[in-house]
Amino acid sequence: MHEGLFITLEGIEGAGKSSSLNYISELFICAGHEVLQTREPGGTDTGEQIRKILLDSDNIKLESSTELLLMFAARSQHLEEIVKPALEKDQVVICDRFTDASYAYQGGGRGIEELRIKTLEDWVQLGFTPTVTLLFDLDVDVGLRRAEKRSQADRFEQEDIMFFKRVRSSYLQRASNEPIRFRIINAGNSLEDVKQQIHKALQEYL
Ligand code: Z5A
């Protein structure tokens, strides 16, 4: 376990995590904290190279198990090179996606057995978990419509609606299993309302 504040943001496509990152950082900076923003897969030079492989829509032959292993390879590097050193320096670390995404996408979405994911989690993280996780939850149709308006679809964005429905229900299941760590944000509301929900959810840490 760790002493620092490690906040992760989760949710389906277009849920508004990236839109909220700067707002969350500002909340902590205003409260006098040093903040590090990062993301998964990625966050390190090696991790960003792995991210390119994972998101490249030309990689149609990528096996689900390869995808899962690459997620954890990037995570291993990210934890040792970036996340743990920042927490040791008392920085607040805000990470756009983490291991819950592996359970939701590779588990719920792709159908990989949860136990296999748990084995990798135990091996790579040795009990290290986020302090608090904001789950940006919204209707899959709304999320996909928001995401469609952006640039070209990546490898995940090419999945069908049922894939994202499984991802969403897997996230909600995890949140109900761990109600203390997870804070659910109703991401279908206006950005202003989402900010208010975030502020309330993180109040005790500010
Ligand atoms: N992945 C995985 O499979 N396994 C893992 O272990 C990990 C990740 C760690 C990359 O993630 C992919 O990796 C991801 C899962 C997989 N693929 N998918 N899907 P990513 O986080 O980099 O990419 P993303 O999920 O595609 O991010 P996103 O679609 O950008 O979602 P977002 O950050 O939550 O949304 P946003 O960019 O903030 O907002 C999207 C649009 O909606 C934008 O135009 C906003 O202006 C608009 N928006 C946002 N909030 C609102 C509200 N409240 N009202 C109206 N409009 C809004």
Side-chain angles (χ1 to χ4, degrees):
M1 282 312 292
H2 54 90
E3 295 294 326
L5 186 51
F6 181 38
I7 301 170
T8 58
L9 313 185
E10 298 284 358
I12 57 156
E13 199 58 2
K17 296 172 283 83
S18 314
S19 307
S20 303
L21 257 175
N22 288 340
Y23 173 67
I24 299 171
S25 293
E26 278 162 27
L27 285 180
F28 282 95
I29 290 166
C30 288
H33 298 272
E34 247 187 83
V35 169
L36 178 93
Q37 276 189 21
T38 185
R39 67 172 180 183
E40 288 204 356
T44 62
D45 289 346
T46 314
E48 291 295 328
Q49 290 175 51
I50 295 174
R51 180 185 176 93
K52 282 203 186 101
I53 298 171
L54 283 161
L55 298 194
D56 186 345
S57 50
D58 286 340
N59 286 334
I60 44 172
K61 287 187 183 164
L62 204 69
E63 289 290 332
S64 300
S65 52
T66 311
E67 182 178 281
L68 177 68
L69 289 163
L70 287 174
M71 291 293 175
F72 273 96
R75 182 161 300 136
S76 174
Q77 188 64 30
H78 188 216
L79 278 174
E80 300 311 320
E81 190 182 325
I82 301 288
V83 177
K84 288 182 184 174
L87 292 172
E88 275 158 26
K89 284 188 262 171
D90 257 349
Q91 294 176 345
V92 174
V93 179
I94 307 168
C95 187
D96 192 344
R97 297 192 186 280
F98 192 61
T99 307
D100 293 301
S102 300
Y103 283 98
Y105 283 81
Q106 284 66 55
R110 305 269 189 237
I112 294 181
E113 206 185 321
E114 193 174 316
L115 190 60
R116 293 179 74 192
I117 304 172
K118 178 85 175 72
T119 303
L120 290 173
E121 180 185 19
D122 291 344
W123 188 57
V124 168
Q125 294 172 219
L126 300 166
F128 182 98
T129 53
T131 318
V132 60
T133 298
L134 300 185
L135 173 57
F136 289 75
D137 180 56
L138 89 168
D139 193 80
V140 172
D141 301 278
V142 178
L144 292 181
R145 269 203 303 278
R146 282 185 191 169
E148 262 170 22
K149 291 187 193 146
R150 290 177 314 193
S151 54
Q152 212 192 338
D154 66 34
R155 206 172 56 81
F156 288 96
E157 289 166 348
Q158 292 181 343
E159 292 298 331
D160 64 15
I161 191 158
M162 292 314 294
F163 175 87
F164 291 103
K165 286 193 173 180
R166 290 195 299 276
V167 171
R168 182 188 184 196
S169 54
S170 173
Y171 268 132
L172 288 171
Q173 185 60 54
R174 290 186 67 69
S176 90
N177 291 347
E178 284 186 72
I180 295 176
R181 174 166 69 88
F182 276 93
R183 312 284 151 94
I184 297 182
I185 304 296
N186 184 343
N189 292 359
S190 69
L191 270 172
E192 208 38 55
D193 182 82
V194 166
K195 281 184 185 173
Q196 284 177 21
Q197 293 181 63
I198 292 171
H199 192 264
K200 201 169 157 212
L202 296 176
Q203 185 77 61
E204 69 187 274
Y205 300 104
L206 291 169

